[in-house]
Amino acid sequence: MKRIKYIFLVSIFALTFANAQSTSDTNFRKPVSETLKKIETVFNVTINDDRGLLKGKELDYADWRIEPGNLAVSLTNILAPFELMYFKQPDGTYIIRKYENHKVSVDKGKERLFYLESLYSTKEQWEKRKTELKACMITSFGLEKAPPMPKSKPLLTPKRIYKDYSVENIALEILPGVYATGSIYKPYPLNKKAAVILTPDGHFGDGRYRKDEQYRCAIMAKMGAIVVAYDLFAWGESLLQFPEETHRNSIASTVQVLTGIRFLDYLATVKNADMSRVGVTGGSGGGSHTMFLAAIDDRVKVSAPVVMVSSHFSGGCPCESGRGVHLCGNGTNNAEISAMMAPKPQLIVSDGKDWTLAVPELEFPFIQRTYELYGKKDLVENAHFAKEGHDFGVSKRMALYPFMAKYLNLDLNIVKNDKGEIDESTCVIEPKEKLFVFGDKGENLPKNALKDINKLYEMFGEKNLKVYEVKK
């Protein structure tokens, strides 16, 4: 009993001593974790440092940084000196994370949308902002500095013919010595004008070789569209030119946007390609580039960004957010960039287990508001899958097909079975080797193929300043 009392007294003494040291003599310095515990009490919240980011961190004037009545300011005051930030979870708790320029809390995303709404309330005001955003995005990506597309003919492999569609692989020289690689799916036989659909690849495993991408390209080709799926920069066959680490160079985002633009330039020369019916759809990073292309290139008439539209997340890869396009207009986000598609048809696909979880309540109403300025509210739709995660799975594809058929005048019935269901089983899933354009070992890579990232930057009048980690 005496021992218990002794421990208790020692603990009280230690706590009193610690508090006594929190004076001007020590700049009221305290462990950050202690101040956050006080914030928990003051605001009746729970704060989790589940990654141990606060361990050993102390701060001058720590408790003085608590702003009574304002939890957000208090947390920012405490965490910002350490380049840390907070995120409010769906259960109301708060977690601590390292600062990331491309990611904020849902609450802050909501605040940003309220701010953006205050900037325009008429179609004329929005059109002015949209023009400013578009010009800034083009400049940020550096597209106006891009050299002209070489006049070389695209490299095409022999066609593989399947039921109602064909596939051939393509390498398009979009810059001197820089080849964009992909596959073209066409209706077969192709004897009339066909819509055009681009599908920029995302960061899913196996790139454009994976099953879900082959399924959606084949189905949309069967429905009557010329569909082009293309690799990310320094991904897939692009790795024959640029190593994997260069995918995280900011110039990757420029090349990927330019790839979409120049594939449209090429398709405009293809017999039976109807450039009055152009769509674009991609998931994840491909969803980012779906939005970018739709915002920048007026030839896009229908868009369907998948699992990417968010007011609080702008893409964790520099190939999406590396050029600072989200700084345009004194600050924008993917929800507003998505809204730049208005008043043309757009399907926003979201789910409940990634950064698109709040789309039905948050981003979609914001985007609808922009469409309402044109009296076209019904031309934007949201397919939300609350129990699903970050993918381009079958349910998401089943939402995509009718939308594309409706607005690109495609034949949905041709892909339905006797039960009236869209049937993907009629599509042939090819091994990735069949989707190569440069051969199994890259033996057909053109001799002029550029392999120097520094020279790629120089084409745009820039210098590569990225420092790479040395691999051991």
Side-chain angles (χ1 to χ4, degrees), residues 35-48 66 70-72 74-75 86-89 91-96 107:
T35 299
L36 288 182
K37 286 180 181 178
K38 185 172 182 178
I39 288 178
E40 286 183 313
T41 301
V42 171
F43 294 96
N44 192 29
V45 296
T46 299
I47 304 171
N48 292 326
I66 299 175
N70 197 321
L71 174 61
S74 299
L75 286 172
Y86 67 89
F87 289 89
K88 186 177 181 181
Q89 300 298 89
D91 63 2
T93 63
Y94 292 79
I95 57 174
I96 309 301
D107 285 353

Side-chain angles (χ1 to χ4, degrees), residues 50-316:
D50 56 342
R51 297 185 179 178
L53 298 174
L54 301 176
K55 186 177 181 180
K57 288 182 170 58
E58 296 185 343
L59 186 63
D60 286 347
Y61 307 104
D63 285 359
W64 292 94
R65 298 171 189 258
I66 299 175
E67 188 71 32
N70 197 321
L71 174 61
V73 171
S74 299
L75 286 172
T76 300
N77 288 346
I78 298 299
L79 299 173
F82 304 101
E83 295 194 351
L84 297 175
M85 57 198 306
Y86 67 89
F87 289 89
K88 186 177 181 181
Q89 300 298 89
D91 63 2
T93 63
Y94 292 79
I95 57 174
I96 309 301
R97 293 290 182 265
K98 290 182 179 180
Y99 176 80
E100 296 176 294
N101 69 292
H102 60 273
K103 188 176 183 181
V104 297
S105 66
V106 176
D107 285 353
K108 288 188 176 181
K110 187 175 183 179
E111 290 174 10
R112 171 61 65 175
L113 293 184
F114 284 150
Y115 165 72
L116 293 176
E117 286 183 350
S118 74
L119 299 180
Y120 41 86
S121 57
T122 66
K123 184 177 75 171
E124 291 71 26
Q125 291 172 332
W126 161 246
E127 287 284 354
K128 181 180 178 181
R129 178 165 174 82
K130 178 180 175 180
T131 299
E132 293 172 351
L133 288 173
K134 180 178 178 180
C136 178
M137 290 176 69
I138 290 172
T139 300
S140 296
F141 283 123
L143 297 175
E144 80 285 358
K145 298 180 292 185
M149 184 163 70
K151 296 182 179 180
S152 59
K153 291 184 178 180
L155 303 176
L156 291 165
T157 61
K159 289 183 181 179
R160 287 92 64 195
I161 298 173
Y162 302 110
K163 180 176 172 53
D164 299 323
Y165 74 101
S166 66
V167 189
E168 57 193 315
N169 309 325
I170 183 171
L172 184 68
E173 190 177 11
I174 61 169
L175 291 165
V178 179
Y179 291 85
T181 51
S183 297
I184 303 181
Y185 296 71
K186 295 179 180 178
Y188 186 83
L190 179 56
N191 48 24
K192 62 180 180 180
K193 286 288 187 180
V196 168
I197 300 176
L198 296 187
T199 64
D201 192 28
H203 293 100
F204 303 112
D206 288 333
R208 65 182 170 90
Y209 314 129
R210 68 187 190 277
K211 287 183 179 181
D212 69 81
E213 189 152 335
Q214 291 192 53
Y215 276 136
R216 74 172 183 270
C217 291
I219 286 291
M220 292 189 295
K222 282 171 170 279
M223 294 194 306
I226 298 172
V227 184
V228 181
Y230 52 93
D231 291 320
L232 294 161
F233 177 83
W235 201 278
E237 285 190 277
S238 180
L239 287 169
L240 294 171
Q241 294 195 250
F242 300 99
E244 182 180 355
E245 58 266 23
T246 61
H247 177 70
R248 295 189 65 81
N249 277 68
S250 68
I251 199 72
S253 64
T254 299
V255 174
Q256 287 173 199
V257 171
L258 190 64
T259 296
I261 293 171
R262 293 198 162 166
F263 262 122
L264 288 181
D265 293 342
Y266 162 69
L267 289 166
T269 69
V270 172
K271 183 181 178 181
N272 289 330
D274 184 354
M275 298 305 290
S276 70
R277 292 186 289 151
V278 175
V280 58
T281 182
S284 192
S288 289
H289 284 279
T290 293
M291 287 182 277
F292 297 156
L293 190 62
I296 289 173
D297 198 313
D298 294 335
R299 291 175 292 186
V300 176
K301 305 302 181 185
V302 181
S303 73
V306 177
V307 295
M308 200 61 223
V309 175
S310 174
S311 59
H312 48 94
F313 183 76
S314 57

